[in-house]
Amino acid sequence: MSALEVEARRGGLGARLAGWSSARQLALLIAVGIGLHNFAEGLAIGQSAASGEIALATLLVIGFGLHNATEGFGIVAPLAGELDEDGTAVRPSWSFLLLMGLIGGGPTFLGTALGHAYTSEPVAVVFLTLAAGSIIYVVTQLITVAARTKRSDLLAYGLLIGLLAGFLTDAIVTAGGA
C-alpha cells in the first residue's frame, strides 16, 4: 500500500486535497508558487535591512507591496469558472481564501525574518530559482486555460499588464537608488 493510500484511509491532508476540484488544486499550486516567490522577496528585504540599508529595505517593501497587490487575482482566477454538477457557480469559502492568502503571502514575512537573521547568497539564489520555476509553471497553466476557453485576448491583456507592473516596480526601485 502506498503512502498516499495510507493517508487517504486515515482521511488526512492527502485525502482532502485529492477531493478538491482541479480548480482548487490549481489555486493551491499557484499559491505555493507565489509563496516561494514571496519568500525570496522577503529574503531580499531582510538581507538589505540586516546590512543597514534601511532605505533600500523600505523601498523594497513598497515595490514588492505594489506588485504583490495583484497576486491574489492569480490565485483565485482558476476558481472563477468552477461549476458544480447542476451548473451553478461554486464560490470558495472565506477560510479557503484565507488559507491561500497565508500560503501565498505568509512566506514574505518568514523570508524577511530569516533574511535579517541569516544572509546567504546561495540560499537566496536557490529560492529565486524555485520561484522562477513555479512562476513558469503558473504561466503555462494560464496559457492552457486561455486556450481551452478560447480567451487568448484576456491572457494577452493580463501578461501585458503584468509586464508593465513589473517594469513600473523596477523603475520605482531603481529611482529609489537600488
Side-chain angles (χ1 to χ4, degrees), residues 5 7 11 25 31 35 37 47 73 122 159 171:
E5 290 171 329
E7 186 69 20
Q25 291 175 1
H37 172 79
Q47 288 182 1
F73 295 120
L159 287 173

Side-chain angles (χ1 to χ4, degrees), residues 41-58:
E41 290 176 351
L43 287 174
I45 294 167
Q47 288 182 1
S48 59
S51 65
E53 297 288 334
I54 302 303
L56 174 60
T58 302

Side-chain angles (χ1 to χ4, degrees), residues 2 12 15 27 44 46 62-64 67 84 117 121 133 141 152 170 174 176:
S2 72
I62 293 168
F64 291 149
H67 98 258
D84 63 11
E121 192 169 316
Q141 291 298 313
S152 59
D170 184 54
T174 302

Side-chain angles (χ1 to χ4, degrees), residues 34-105:
I34 288 173
L36 286 170
H37 172 79
N38 288 343
F39 183 79
E41 290 176 351
L43 287 174
I45 294 167
Q47 288 182 1
S48 59
S51 65
E53 297 288 334
I54 302 303
L56 174 60
T58 302
L59 192 62
L60 289 174
V61 168
I62 293 168
F64 291 149
L66 287 173
H67 98 258
N68 288 351
T70 60
E71 288 177 348
F73 295 120
I75 294 171
V76 300
L79 304 172
E82 189 175 17
L83 303 173
D84 63 11
E85 301 82 32
D86 301 332
T88 307
V90 175
R91 299 292 174 236
S93 67
W94 285 106
S95 60
F96 177 81
L97 294 175
L98 179 62
L99 176 63
M100 294 303 106
L102 287 173
I103 291 170

Side-chain angles (χ1 to χ4, degrees), residues 131-143:
S134 64
I135 295 303
I136 289 169
Y137 173 80
V138 168
V139 169
T140 59
Q141 291 298 313
L142 291 174
I143 290 170

